Amino acid sequence: MYEAFYGMIHTPFVRNVPPESLYESRAMDEVLGRLSYAADRQLFTVVTADAGCGKSTLIRKFAASLPKDKYILLYLSDSKLTPRWLYNGIAKQLGLESKFSLGEAKKQLHKEIEIIHGVQHKKVVCVLDEAHLLEKETIEEFRFLLNFNFDSQSPMALILVGQTELWDDKLRLKRYAAVRQRIDINCVLPHLDRAETERYIRSHLNYAGYKEGELFSQRAIDEIYKSTNGIPRVINRVCEKSLMYGFQQQRRIIDDHDISFVVEHEMLNGGES
């Protein structure tokens, strides 16, 4: 609806923006570099962030960056993942028939990874999303999942991605000390600052093909940053609703008053996600 009014060829603030067009903050660039290192060295990595701060974007960009001739990427996202279903979920993505017994599933997985390493000459990268929801038994199983050749090497790069409580409320607990000691890299995605919020907005407008100059005034961006606390998901919602409102009001430039109206009248909880 508003796209034609503003001369856009794509909808700017949506979830399915191509990975190559997604904004990459300095912090995200650093985390991507560390994930690339973890994939190459087959390390155990934890990535945490507040809700809406770009974990899904990070995973998409990371997945797109891995050369398919060198890596096999496995992606699991199941908050009720038990140890047996963890192994079987990985095996299924590798094209293997699931085993009922946990012990058999472990042996099957380690054998298949040996084949992948020795025959295909590829490295396995396993991403577990929504890891803050994992149960105690599954978290403790990571010690055994990563135990390979008498603990002399890791069979795969294991990357846990979850909300901040994954580290604060789980992995820091004494009961997970043995797991925590195996973590090679710990990354945190912060909120965007004011300058990054502006660059984030501009990158999405560039993707949409907007070329008419300043669509959001500087005061509007100030208000967006203030009301969203630099959380990308909430920035998307505020900008999307503001463009719709601007179209309805026939405004060529969105100002801070428009943002304030949208946040107050069209956003739940005053802009919070």
Side-chain angles (χ1 to χ4, degrees), residues 38-214:
D40 180 60
R41 301 299 177 92
Q42 302 282 266
L43 303 179
F44 183 16
T45 304
V46 174
V47 180
T48 56
D50 288 341
C53 280
K55 296 184 295 297
S56 296
T57 297
L58 176 74
I59 295 171
R60 290 177 62 198
K61 291 185 78 71
F62 173 60
S65 72
L66 288 178
K68 291 181 172 55
D69 61 330
K70 295 182 179 179
Y71 296 96
I72 294 177
L73 177 68
L74 311 175
Y75 175 81
L76 295 173
S77 179
D78 186 347
S79 61
K80 300 302 181 183
L81 206 63
T82 64
R84 184 167 66 86
W85 285 109
L86 168 64
Y87 286 103
N88 285 337
I90 294 173
K92 184 177 180 180
Q93 292 198 27
L94 291 174
L96 304 175
E97 182 179 347
S98 298
K99 298 292 185 181
F100 181 79
S101 157
L102 178 60
E104 289 179 348
K106 290 181 184 181
K107 291 178 182 178
Q108 178 193 45
L109 177 60
H110 281 169
K111 182 178 180 181
E112 181 64 19
I113 288 177
E114 282 188 313
I115 294 173
I116 291 172
H117 288 168
V119 178
Q120 299 183 36
H121 304 293
K122 291 184 178 181
K123 297 178 180 179
V124 177
V125 179
C126 182
V127 176
L128 265 62
D129 201 0
E130 303 294 341
H132 56 284
L133 299 175
L134 292 173
E135 299 292 342
K136 174 177 178 289
E137 309 81 58
T138 306
I139 294 176
E140 291 178 338
E141 187 62 30
F142 295 147
R143 289 184 296 157
F144 308 105
L145 174 63
L146 298 174
N147 189 345
F148 198 54
N149 287 345
F150 301 100
D151 210 19
S152 63
Q153 66 183 101
S154 175
M156 65 175 70
L158 178 63
I159 301 172
L160 306 186
V161 182
Q163 294 184 16
T164 306
E165 54 262 38
L166 170 62
W167 185 265
D168 292 346
D169 299 339
K170 289 194 173 183
L171 293 176
R172 289 179 64 181
L173 297 178
K174 185 177 181 180
R175 72 176 66 162
Y176 297 125
V179 177
R180 188 171 60 250
Q181 290 165 6
R182 290 176 177 271
I183 297 172
D184 300 296
I185 300 175
N186 181 32
C187 307
V188 178
L189 274 180
H191 295 205
L192 302 180
D193 61 24
R194 165 56 175 81
E196 289 171 331
T197 297
E198 180 171 357
R199 289 195 289 269
Y200 178 89
I201 292 170
R202 290 188 182 280
S203 74
H204 280 260
L205 293 177
N206 288 338
Y207 160 73
Y210 180 76
K211 299 179 180 179
E212 299 299 322
E214 188 177 69

